[in-house]
């Protein structure tokens, strides 16, 4: 079988005009990850570490890259880029503590090996999911573009991961927006056991770059000087003439995907040829041949590196095992933030729901010059619901950004902006399409603060809900998908005044939000909305109606259904509008249960596994002694949202809710 990765010739080094000291610095940098890995493989055999992803034979790529960039330029490494971490000078004892899940590691024991970032060292590490890091690099690049910092961002991917949609989305956005990002593909022949020819049908990634309208260059990934020189030259040029570039580094994975999985499936001949191209041995030999590395200096540098590793390991091993502290674990879910509520002014004007949202967004744009809006057709067109109509004229195209059709990349870009201190609002054209950005929300936005203390200052606006005869893919209620994910906040207003104040509040808070806006409310309800900027307290429910006979707990459209039903049936009920779904207001729920003793939860979402399931369970456990009737719940049928109005009416809970309401009132 002809493998797409061929090692046809030995490495031919060219020192260009680099002086001896530069060559020696690169040597010292290059032997560090190799010597660490030698040690790790021993520790693995001794059962002192649990898992190891090897970068053996690929070190030249990380080391060439890390030495080519400025220290304050971000790098987004993957699982075979130990050299990025050592090259950036992370204290080895902290790096080893990270590997061992110790407290002084970069994630306080919460994530493993290379899955962390550190702003101090300008590194954003991977999550396990392959692909989403490309868009984060786009976001950092966009921040550099917006603030006119002449900086380069460099992101790694494996060749296997390039089959993920996120690879395509990330490169496409970078190309369309001309972002100063270097995408390095480590073309090492395999993705786990799958060889490149079963992964893609082209031979070289240099064929792919031009397809995106992007320059692409190929380097010998085992030749540290080739990688260094190419990336250094590119970076110098990109700082002056910002643009994305794809760099394909040809190399080979010399060990198993991870140590336990072995390399049985790799033809022996490939291993043999590639072992002749070892990046460390060859560079060492080259330096000796040209008289730059003497035996004495070689010994001295290796001793120095080994001593540093041993010292780092000694400190890390001496650190006691982590002790769990539940309070600390829960506290670190969100970035620290204390909301100071800004009360509304007396000046009001009549506004529709959609206008109140637009008004809040506009005032937030004025208040926060670092707020960037992104979404499909939100520019000159004003968005499909016209929330951002006229915004481009006021705030410009840089801050009101029309995006390509790529939810995942745009949410990832928003996170990248946040890493650079920006705020971002992403408009989903319809809440349904969030499925295409799901991974970025639940795995990146939601977990990043808990993992390494990075805030995700992003609000995702979600035009949601049924009742508009729009069928299964433009009508879904999907708040419960996110309700179950620690690290997110979810807001779902039911009226114009709350919508404006809650949106402003969500944008103020540096934590990630899903902000649900019911499409059927956009133009159907109006209210006297305060003119000036104000905020509504996050996490606080509000009584939409006061009554003594029973409690209806609900949110969004449910509030309107409850108001209508109680008035038509003449039931004096408490109607509690949750407003924030995560974190939800336990005190207010408890208070209304204590007051009436009879509760029904109403949601537009399908019944099974919805928000009501959680709250009703909590009431049963925590308010049992105040209950005078079974806790009830009503929601939509457990089917997709049907298109035909009669079917949709039957799907929605309104009629069934009225019946249950009567039963509960009579109980
Ligand atoms: C989205 C996703 N799917 C599957 C995996 C499991 N997985 C981890 S690494 C890997 C192979 C990656 O290959 P490649 O991108 O070529 O990088 P390499 O390991 O060769 O450096 C796979 C399949 C994953 N981590 N993420």
């Amino acid at each position: 079988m002809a493998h797409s990765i061929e090692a046809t010739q030995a490495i031919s080094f060219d020192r260009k005009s680099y002086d001896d000291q530069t060559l020696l610095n690169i040597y010292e940098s290059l032997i560090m990850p190799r010597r660490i890995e030698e040690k790790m493989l021993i520790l693995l055999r001794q059962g002192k570490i649990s898992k190891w992803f090897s970068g053996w034979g690929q070190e030249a790529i990380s080391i060439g890259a890390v030495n080519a960039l400025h220290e304050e330029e971000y790098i987004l490494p993957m699982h075979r880029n130990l050299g990025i971490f050592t090259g950036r000078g992370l204290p080895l004892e902290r790096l080893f503590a990270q590997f061992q899940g110790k407290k002084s590691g970069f994630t306080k024991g919460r994530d493993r090996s290379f899955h962390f970032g550190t702003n101090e060292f300008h590194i954003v590490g991977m999550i396990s999911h392959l692909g989403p890091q490309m868009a984060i690099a786009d976001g950092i690049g966009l921040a550099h573009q917006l603030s006119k910092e002449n900086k380069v961002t460099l992101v790694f991917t494996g060749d296997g991961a390039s089959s993920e949609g996120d690879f395509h989305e990330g490169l496409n956005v970078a190309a369309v927006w001309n972002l100063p990002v270097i995408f390095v593909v480590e073309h090492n022949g395999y993705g786990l056991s799958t060889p490149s020819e079963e992964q893609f049908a082209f031979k070289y990634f240099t064929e792919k770059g031009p397809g995106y309208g992007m320059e692409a260059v190929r380097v010998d990934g085992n030749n540290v000087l080739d990688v260094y020189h190419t990336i250094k030259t590119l970076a110098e040029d990109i700082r002056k003439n910002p643009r994305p570039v794809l760099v394909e580094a040809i190399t080979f994975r010399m060990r198993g995907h991870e140590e336990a999985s072995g390399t049985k499936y790799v033809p022996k001949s490939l291993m043999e040829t590639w072992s002749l191209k070892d990046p460390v041995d060859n560079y060492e030999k080259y330096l000796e041949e040209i008289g730059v590395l003497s035996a004495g200096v070689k010994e001295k540098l290796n001793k120095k590196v080994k001593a540093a590793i041993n010292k780092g390991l000694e400190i890390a091993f001496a650190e006691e095992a982590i002790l769990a502290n539940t309070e600390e674990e829960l506290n670190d879910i969100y970035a620290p933030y204390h909301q100071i509520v800004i009360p509304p002014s007396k000046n009001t004007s009549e506004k529709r729901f959609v206008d109140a949202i637009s008004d809040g967004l506009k005032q937030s744009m004025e208040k926060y010059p670092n707020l960037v809006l992104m979404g499909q057709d939100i520019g000159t067109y004003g968005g499909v619901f016209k929330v951002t109509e006229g915004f481009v004229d006021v705030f410009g195209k840089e801050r009101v950004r029309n995006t390509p059709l790529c939810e995942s990349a745009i949410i990832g870009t928003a996170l990248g902006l946040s890493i650079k201190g920006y705020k971002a609002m992403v408009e989903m054209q319809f809440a349904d399409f969030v499925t295409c950005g799901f991974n970025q929300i639940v795995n990146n936005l939601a977990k990043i603060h808990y993992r390494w203390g990075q805030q995700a200052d992003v609000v995702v606006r979600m035009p949601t809900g049924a009742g508009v005869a729009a069928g299964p893919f433009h009508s879904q209620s999907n708040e419960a998908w996110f309700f179950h994910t620690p690290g997110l906040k979810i807001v779902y207003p039911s009226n114009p005044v709350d919508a404006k104040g809650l949106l402003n509040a969500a944008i103020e808070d540096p934590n990630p939000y899903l902000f649900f806006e019911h499409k059927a409310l956009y133009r159907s309800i109006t209210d006297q909305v305060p003119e000036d900027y104000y905020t509504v307290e996050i996490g606080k429910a509000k009584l939409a109606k006061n009554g003594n006979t029973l409690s209806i707990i609900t949110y969004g459209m449910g509030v309107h259904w409850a108001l209508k039903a109680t008035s038509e049936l003449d039931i004096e009920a408490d109607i509690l509008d949750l407003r924030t779904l995560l974190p939800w207001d336990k005190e207010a729920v408890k208070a209304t249960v204590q007051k009436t003793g009879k509760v029904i939860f109403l949601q537009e979402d399908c019944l099974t596994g919805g928000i009501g399931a959680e709250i009703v369970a909590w009431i049963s456990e925590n308010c049992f002694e105040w209950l005078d009737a079974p806790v009830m719940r009503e929601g939509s049928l457990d089917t997709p949202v049907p298109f035909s109005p009669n079917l949709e009416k039957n799907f929605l809970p309104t009629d069934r809710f009225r019946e249950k309401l009567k039963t509960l009132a009579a109980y």
Side-chain angles (χ1 to χ4, degrees):
M1 181 179 61
H3 199 280
S4 68
I5 289 295
E6 291 149 11
T8 46
Q9 57 189 48
I11 301 173
S12 85
F13 290 101
D14 176 358
R15 69 180 291 178
K16 311 276 181 198
S17 52
Y18 297 119
D19 61 21
D20 289 1
Q21 195 51 52
T22 304
L23 299 187
L24 282 174
N25 289 347
I26 291 175
Y27 174 73
E28 186 177 347
S29 187
L30 184 64
I31 58 175
M32 178 60 94
R34 176 62 63 89
R35 299 289 97 91
I36 290 178
E37 193 163 329
E38 286 166 351
K39 195 83 191 177
M40 289 301 153
L41 294 175
I42 294 169
L43 294 175
L44 192 72
R45 280 195 291 276
Q46 293 172 343
K48 291 187 179 157
I49 56 169
S50 63
K51 214 173 176 128
W52 184 252
F53 287 90
S54 174
W56 192 290
Q58 300 184 205
E59 296 96 333
I61 304 171
S62 298
I63 296 306
V66 76
N67 284 288
L69 292 200
H70 295 160
E71 270 181 16
E72 71 287 356
E73 290 176 323
Y74 274 89
I75 301 183
L76 293 87
M78 297 296 288
H79 49 294
R80 306 199 195 283
N81 300 119
L82 173 60
I84 296 298
F85 298 92
T86 57
R88 275 283 157 95
L90 271 65
L92 291 181
E93 63 275 15
R94 282 198 73 193
L95 188 60
F96 298 149
Q98 168 68 23
F99 294 169
Q100 294 172 17
K102 299 266 173 78
K103 180 99 178 188
S104 71
F106 291 84
T107 62
K108 302 191 199 168
R110 292 167 185 169
D111 205 344
R112 64 190 207 188
S113 58
F114 304 114
H115 294 196
F116 68 94
T118 149
N119 284 312
E120 188 186 348
F121 297 96
H122 299 93
I123 289 176
V124 177
M126 65 188 294
I127 59 169
S128 289
H129 294 63
L130 302 166
Q133 79 280 4
M134 316 294 276
I136 301 178
D138 284 350
I140 297 172
L142 177 59
H144 290 147
Q145 187 188 72
L146 292 172
S147 51
K148 303 196 173 29
E149 289 176 87
N150 298 320
K151 288 193 177 109
V152 173
T153 302
L154 185 145
V155 59
F156 286 95
T157 178
D159 50 278
S162 76
S163 303
E164 294 283 350
D166 275 330
F167 177 88
H168 162 73
E169 291 191 17
L171 264 69
N172 187 55
V173 168
V176 173
W177 290 355
N178 205 30
L179 302 174
V181 178
I182 298 177
F183 296 93
V184 179
V185 182
E186 293 189 295
H187 194 167
N188 69 0
Y190 283 85
L192 216 154
S193 73
T194 303
S196 295
E197 56 271 25
E198 290 179 34
Q199 194 74 247
F200 38 80
F202 53 89
K203 183 159 183 181
Y204 290 120
F205 282 85
T206 40
E207 298 162 30
K208 260 200 133 161
Y212 290 105
M214 188 186 295
E215 213 173 304
V217 292
R218 187 157 64 238
V219 293
D220 178 348
N222 284 27
N223 180 337
V224 71
L225 290 186
D226 191 17
V227 180
Y228 174 68
H229 181 70
T230 304
I231 294 184
K232 189 170 187 293
T233 312
L234 272 176
E236 279 161 7
D237 197 40
I238 291 171
R239 283 180 208 117
K240 283 187 245 138
N241 173 23
R243 65 191 188 282
V245 178
L246 187 155
V247 174
E248 173 176 30
I250 304 291
T251 185
F252 199 72
R253 204 194 67 207
M254 297 301 293
R255 303 189 67 88
H257 168 64
E258 46 88 31
E259 279 310 305
S261 62
T263 54
K264 256 199 215 143
Y265 46 84
V266 181
K268 226 172 153 198
S269 60
L270 269 175
M271 283 292 194
E272 281 161 5
T273 5
W274 277 95
S275 67
L276 299 176
K277 284 196 66 163
D278 184 86
V280 181
D281 294 350
N282 277 285
Y283 186 58
E284 196 171 81
K285 218 181 299 161
Y286 169 69
L287 293 186
E288 285 169 342
E289 274 165 20
I290 60 170
V292 170
L293 183 67
S294 66
V297 171
K298 179 171 144 183
E299 195 190 331
K300 193 182 103 193
L301 290 179
N302 274 280
K303 263 194 178 161
K304 182 179 157 195
V305 162
K306 282 183 187 169
I309 296 169
N310 287 334
K311 185 161 169 252
L313 276 172
E314 204 179 302
I315 298 171
F317 274 121
E319 185 176 339
E320 68 208 22
I322 210 155
L323 285 178
N325 174 334
T326 304
E327 199 184 326
E328 189 181 343
E329 293 304 293
L330 292 173
N331 274 346
D332 280 355
I333 283 294
Y334 295 124
Y337 172 70
H338 174 67
Q339 184 185 6
I340 297 166
V341 176
I342 300 176
S345 62
K346 298 263 178 310
N347 277 347
T348 62
S349 67
E350 177 142 331
K351 281 195 166 62
R352 298 175 300 177
F353 192 73
V354 68
D355 304 324
I357 290 169
S358 181
D359 197 37
L361 199 54
K362 193 179 271 174
Q363 289 175 356
S364 285
M365 285 290 274
E366 284 158 1
K367 187 173 162 86
Y368 297 105
N370 63 337
L371 172 61
V372 176
L373 313 184
M374 295 184 285
Q376 293 152 22
D377 307 292
I378 71 160
T380 314
Y381 187 68
V384 294
F385 296 105
K386 302 294 171 200
V387 169
T388 53
E389 190 158 45
F391 276 40
V392 166
D393 298 336
V394 184
F395 304 108
K397 283 186 170 176
E398 290 204 321
R399 290 182 65 206
V400 186
R401 305 185 73 86
N402 249 359
T403 71
L405 284 160
C406 49
E407 289 75 10
S408 181
I410 297 307
I411 297 166
T413 299
L415 181 56
L417 282 174
S418 177
I419 287 167
K420 285 287 296 178
Y422 279 81
K423 285 180 173 291
M425 186 290 297
V426 179
E427 177 179 298
M428 286 294 114
Q429 197 152 72
F430 286 80
D432 307 67
F433 302 136
V434 79
T435 44
C436 301
F438 193 70
N439 184 39
Q440 293 283 19
I441 295 177
V442 301
N443 285 321
N444 260 331
L445 299 187
K447 295 179 177 49
I448 199 164
H449 189 268
Y450 177 73
R451 290 171 57 240
W452 58 277
Q454 170 62 50
Q455 67 191 35
D457 199 346
V458 179
V459 174
V460 182
R461 286 188 32 249
M462 305 275 281
T464 190
V468 287
F473 307 110
H474 286 79
S475 311
Q476 287 170 91
S477 293
N478 54 21
E479 60 274 14
W481 298 351
F482 303 98
F483 185 63
H484 187 62
T485 304
L488 300 175
K489 295 192 183 182
I490 305 175
V491 173
Y492 199 144
S494 69
N495 62 70
V497 176
D498 282 348
K500 176 173 169 181
L502 285 170
L503 180 59
N504 286 338
I507 290 169
E508 267 189 33
D509 187 338
N511 287 291
Y513 274 80
L514 289 146
F515 188 88
F516 286 87
E517 305 165 4
H518 203 296
K519 304 188 293 284
L521 295 179
Y522 273 150
R523 290 173 170 78
S524 65
I525 57 168
T526 60
D527 207 346
Q528 285 295 321
V529 179
E531 293 279 10
D532 298 333
Y533 180 93
Y534 64 94
T535 58
V536 166
E537 188 172 352
I538 297 292
K540 252 299 181 268
K542 190 181 177 189
L543 281 177
K545 193 176 165 188
N546 237 307
N548 290 318
T549 53
L550 56 87
S551 302
I552 303 167
I553 304 174
T554 186
Y555 57 95
M557 187 57 93
V559 175
H560 301 276
W561 290 333
L563 284 168
K564 187 163 183 276
T566 48
S567 117
E568 284 172 8
L569 298 171
D570 203 18
I571 294 173
E572 291 293 312
D574 253 9
I575 300 177
L576 186 68
D577 178 0
L578 287 174
R579 306 197 290 184
T580 302
L581 303 183
L582 196 65
W584 58 276
D585 190 347
K586 294 190 167 103
E587 269 177 39
V589 166
K590 193 170 196 167
T592 188
V593 178
Q594 286 177 342
K595 179 176 162 191
T596 68
K598 292 184 188 177
V599 193
I600 180 162
F601 194 97
L602 172 62
Q603 67 192 33
E604 175 177 331
D605 195 2
C606 305
L607 196 65
T608 301
I611 312 290
E614 170 65 22
I615 295 180
V616 165
W618 185 88
I619 293 171
S620 303
E621 185 173 344
N622 294 282
C623 308
F624 183 72
E625 51 269 46
W626 287 284
L627 289 171
D628 296 324
V631 190
M632 296 185 179
R633 156 180 89 100
E634 199 47 77
S636 288
L637 294 183
D638 286 324
T639 69
V641 188
F643 162 62
S644 188
N646 286 346
L647 294 181
E648 191 179 38
K649 187 169 180 296
N650 179 59
F651 163 84
L652 289 169
T654 41
D655 292 346
R656 291 184 300 277
F657 169 66
R658 284 169 76 93
E659 292 313 307
K660 270 208 180 146
L661 197 56
K662 285 191 240 167
T663 312
L664 186 62
Y667 195 90

